[in-house]
């Protein structure tokens, strides 16, 4: 990504633009979009950034402006030096402590706190180092689920990125079957490397991790290894809504689902889709502007057959 468009606007406007982006069916999948606050002491001042592999055209600029309902801000276009911007954005980040987990890059020392599991996740081509509020929130929610007596024998991490949430699941339930999937082929090598760093065995047996490149739930291996009593999906609100029926078919009655990647303003739509698919809310957590949802599938729910879910490219999220 050698070019970037920036649009500075109030928090509400940028969040609304992110939602509009998810609904833009014709959005170029090569263009990565993100939004965040400018500084910790300015929580209401945000910037929307669009990353391009080419110099943005007039059409590209118009597409960004169209994401803002009214009063589109001025756009700043800049050329960036050749670099792996995902990796650079993650270098030197401080370790995080979420639930019973300490997540760090190799530059930092391991935690010596009793009862805390240390994971190493280098800056890489995949997202999910634990720094984002959604990933950290999932780590905290998984810890809470374990503390409340949830037992897991078969888990799936959909949109795994670096593999971190699957690693956490195996740490909490070490005898579980574990499957991780992502739509981005880059993630296969990233997860393999991270398994080696964290001494996690890859394989198809209990306590090992199976990795698959899959488009949503439409994959024979994901189907063959199910049904699951824990399904984790830290992706985007749009795919969560679209895939709710597919998730329901993949989770056992009484099973658990952990969803993240949705803004608090998008929570209602995600919860409605999950309720229609047969899930009820067990607990929710808010981390900054993001919602983390723990849901349970009701017993005796029949989900109508539908086409296998194909989701947009959410692989470059975090």
């Amino acid at each position: 990504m050698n070019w970037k468009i920036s649009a500075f606007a109030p928090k509400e406007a940028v969040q609304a633009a992110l939602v509009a982006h998810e609904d833009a069916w014709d959005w170029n999948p090569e263009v990565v979009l993100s939004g965040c606050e400018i500084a910790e002491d300015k929580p209401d001042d945000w910037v929307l950034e669009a990353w391009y592999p080419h110099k943005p055209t007039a059409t590209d600029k118009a597409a960004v402006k169209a994401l803002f309902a009214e009063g589109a801000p001025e756009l700043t276009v800049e050329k960036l030096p050749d670099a792996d911007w995902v990796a650079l954005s993650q270098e030197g980040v401080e370790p995080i402590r979420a639930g019973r987990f300490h997540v760090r890059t190799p530059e930092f020392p391991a935690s010596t706190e009793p009862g805390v599991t240390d994971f190493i996740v280098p800056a890489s081509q995949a997202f999910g180092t634990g720094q984002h509020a959604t990933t950290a929130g999932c780590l905290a929610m998984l810890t809470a689920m374990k503390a409340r007596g949830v037992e897991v024998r078969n888990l799936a991490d959909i949109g795994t990125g670096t593999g971190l949430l699957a690693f956490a699941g195996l740490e909490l339930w070490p005898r579980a079957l574990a499957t991780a999937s992502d739509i981005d082929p880059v993630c296969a090598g990233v997860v393999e490397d991270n398994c080696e760093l964290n001494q996690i065995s890859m394989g198809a047996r209990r306590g090992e991790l199976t990795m698959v490149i899959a488009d949503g739930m439409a994959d024979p291996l994901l189907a063959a290894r199910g049904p699951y009593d824990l399904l984790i999906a830290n992706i985007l609100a749009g795919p969560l809504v679209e895939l709710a029926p597919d998730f329901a078919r993949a989770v056992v009655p009484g099973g658990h689902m952990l969803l993240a990647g949705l803004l608090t303003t998008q929570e209602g739509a995600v919860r409605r889709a999950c309720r229609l698919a047969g899930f009820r809310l067990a607990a929710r957590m808010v981390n900054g502007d993001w919602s983390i949802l723990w849901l349970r599938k009701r017993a005796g729910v029949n989900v109508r057959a539908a086409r296998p879910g194909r989701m947009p490219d959410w692989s470059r999220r975090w």
Side-chain angles (χ1 to χ4, degrees), residues 52 65 80 86 100 154 166 187 195-196 300 317:
Y52 294 81
K65 285 192 173 185
L80 307 171
V86 174
R100 57 184 272 185
N154 192 7
C187 294
C195 279
E196 184 175 352
R317 188 59 171 169

Side-chain angles (χ1 to χ4, degrees), residues 146-196:
K146 176 69 174 182
R148 289 176 58 173
V150 172
E151 292 296 332
V152 175
R153 297 168 297 280
N154 192 7
L155 68 91
D157 178 14
I158 308 300
T160 191
T162 62
L164 176 58
L165 296 181
F167 298 170
L170 276 173
E171 173 64 25
L172 293 168
W173 297 282
R175 292 295 300 159
L177 291 171
T179 309
S181 75
D182 204 287
I183 196 173
D184 189 349
V186 166
C187 294
V190 172
V191 170
E192 183 176 353
D193 291 343
N194 288 341
C195 279
E196 184 175 352

